Amino acid sequence: MENVVSSGGAAPARTTGNAPQKKFSKAAIAVAAVLTAVGVGCWIYQLMIGLQMTGMTNVNSWGAYIVMFMFFVGLSAGGLIVASSAHVFNIEAFKKVALPAVILSTVCICLAGLFVLIDLGGFAKVWRLLTGPNLTSPLMWDVLVITCYLVINILDIVWIRKGDEAKVAKLSYVALPVAILVHSVTAWIFGLQIARTWYTAIMAPIFVASACDSGLALLLIVLMVLQAKGLFTTGTELFEKLAKLLAVFVAVDAYFIFCELLTMGYPGGSEATALAIMATGETAPFFWFEMIGGLLIPFLILAVAKNRSKRGLVAAASILIVLGVFCKRIWLLLTAFSTPYATAMPGFESDALAQAALSTTGVGAFYVPTGLELLVVVGVLALGCLAFMLLCNGLMGKGGKSN
């Protein structure tokens, strides 16, 4: 008999006959493994020669790795917010997607942490976090809250699999605020820096809103993939509820961004300069893709009730939302670096690269990722896909309990 995790109740859905158990194929797992190996090889090369193999410089010290870190923290937080809200607010229907949501959340937060470790230039530097932690630094806050978050995810998976509803319910009251906090602290890493144009009081709400819409959008995509593989069944009513909630999240995200843009552009000054770079400068393609492709179009699709029953349209809207939030991470990070906070000074002129960057307008003068750097990113993404497929095959495959 074939066991398929179902969204329709506590017992697994069963189909009669001798149909083979559907799982992620060995071919897909092998491709992910090969790409992971390529990424590991490029990372080892980075360890050998240093971060100079990337496009980062002394002027632009953050790049693709930190973009991906921000992106995956949001994807992770969104999944756990949906799963834990089911128990905190007693939304019975949402409890049925808790297992895939928490698996997805766990993989994403591990990838986020991995990107930070890669950006440090070597795992040996992590030792400094233990021997000389700076508890006044938002970076240290993020390390602590992400560690706590990962422990919560692992406990959640274990107790969901055991069917221990009481423990899952109690854990949800801790998981929900921690899920919100993990993205808030990530936002404060940027928002508490006065030297950059990230200095804003609503950076945390913006990050949490984008975590909710990108995390839920990715969850909907994953649910459709799992159903196609026969590992999970999402009923039409539940799917439409999740799509409706996604439309609300998109609207809230758009509202927060509007508030930030209005505040930046109205008074003039340095913030207005940053807004001009976002709207018409080198980060403009990413900015406008999110505004139109990542917010407006998905909202227009999901706001219509009949569209929410069409999985193709919901899938398209969800993909656009995820890509839009990814573009947000790019324009948010690189726009801030495109406005130098220092001018040339005695002794600084000798650094030709820094001097050229400070005298040139545009993000391209500061940072363009190298091919090897992108291969490391691809390798980490492949590792995430590999981990997700193996976890789903093991936890939601034949003989697995349903949620």
Side-chain angles (χ1 to χ4, degrees):
M1 280 220 189
E2 178 185 4
N3 291 348
V4 180
V5 178
S6 170
S7 68
R14 298 180 180 271
T15 58
T16 57
N18 297 317
Q21 174 67 32
K22 293 182 179 180
K23 292 185 177 184
F24 286 102
S25 67
K26 292 181 179 179
I29 292 173
V31 170
V34 170
L35 291 175
T36 300
V38 171
V40 170
C42 293
W43 170 68
I44 292 173
Y45 181 70
Q46 175 182 300
L47 290 178
M48 293 169 61
I49 69 169
L51 287 171
Q52 64 187 24
M53 72 154 247
T54 72
M56 294 182 284
T57 65
N58 288 338
V59 177
N60 199 111
S61 55
W62 287 345
Y65 299 150
I66 297 302
V67 167
M68 301 306 293
F69 160 68
M70 289 190 288
F71 183 53
F72 275 96
V73 168
L75 292 177
S76 176
L80 190 60
I81 286 171
V82 171
S84 56
S85 294
H87 291 88
V88 173
F89 300 110
N90 197 29
I91 308 174
E92 192 64 33
F94 288 2
K95 295 178 183 179
K96 300 162 187 174
V97 298
L99 182 57
V102 178
I103 292 175
L104 182 64
S105 176
T106 304
V107 171
C108 287
I109 200 62
C110 287
L111 294 188
L114 189 55
F115 276 115
V116 172
L117 295 177
I118 292 172
D119 186 72
L120 286 175
F123 288 112
K125 295 181 180 180
V126 179
W127 179 249
R128 291 294 300 139
L129 295 174
L130 302 176
T131 59
N134 179 8
L135 297 179
T136 64
S137 169
L139 290 170
M140 192 63 205
W141 303 347
D142 213 34
V143 170
L144 295 175
V145 75
I146 285 178
T147 302
C148 179
Y149 183 85
L150 179 58
V151 171
I152 288 173
N153 273 276
I154 294 172
L155 289 175
D156 218 2
I157 291 176
V158 171
W159 290 338
I160 289 173
R161 282 283 297 165
K162 289 182 177 180
D164 197 333
E165 184 71 14
K167 289 183 179 179
V168 172
K170 291 177 182 177
L171 185 64
S172 295
Y173 284 92
V174 179
L176 181 57
V178 171
I180 295 172
L181 184 61
V182 74
H183 216 41
S184 298
V185 173
T186 301
W188 293 334
I189 292 175
F190 304 93
L192 296 180
Q193 293 191 39
I194 2 177
R196 297 292 182 183
T197 50
W198 299 311
Y199 191 59
T200 167
I202 66 168
M203 183 65 76
I206 289 175
F207 269 52
V208 172
S210 63
C212 288
D213 58 18
S214 63
L216 180 54
L218 182 61
L219 177 60
L220 284 169
I221 295 168
V222 164
L223 290 175
M224 285 184 271
V225 171
L226 291 177
Q227 180 154 326
K229 302 304 297 181
L231 290 166
F232 193 87
T233 301
T234 309
T236 302
E237 183 180 355
L238 173 57
F239 192 84
E240 290 179 9
K241 285 182 179 179
L242 291 172
K244 185 176 182 180
L245 180 61
L246 180 57
V248 175
F249 285 159
V250 169
V252 173
D253 192 9
Y255 172 71
F256 281 137
I257 293 175
F258 170 76
C259 291
E260 178 68 3
L261 296 179
L262 178 64
T263 307
M264 289 173 64
Y266 186 77
S270 60
E271 290 81 6
T273 302
L275 180 58
I277 294 172
M278 285 158 42
T280 61
E282 292 202 18
T283 53
F286 303 104
F287 174 75
W288 288 112
F289 180 88
E290 189 202 2
M291 295 300 104
I292 298 172
L295 292 172
L296 179 60
I297 293 176
F299 180 76
L300 292 177
I301 292 173
L302 298 172
V304 180
K306 65 179 181 180
N307 289 343
R308 296 195 291 267
S309 63
K310 300 175 182 178
R311 300 206 173 196
L313 284 177
V314 174
S318 299
I319 291 171
L320 284 173
I321 290 167
V322 172
L323 292 176
V325 171
F326 176 68
C327 286
K328 177 189 292 182
R329 301 299 179 243
I330 295 176
W331 65 252
L332 187 150
L333 184 79
L334 298 186
T335 299
F337 277 112
S338 68
T339 306
Y341 63 85
T343 58
M345 58 190 72
F348 194 56
E349 288 89 353
S350 60
D351 188 339
L353 178 61
Q355 179 65 25
L358 287 173
S359 61
T360 305
T361 302
V363 175
F366 289 85
Y367 174 74
V368 176
T370 64
L372 289 172
E373 189 178 1
L374 292 176
L375 284 176
V376 172
V377 171
V378 170
V380 176
L381 297 179
L383 177 61
C385 292
L386 179 62
F388 182 77
M389 288 187 290
L390 292 176
L391 284 171
C392 285
N393 282 354
L395 298 177
M396 302 177 66
K398 188 172 183 179
K401 296 180 181 179
S402 68
N403 178 42

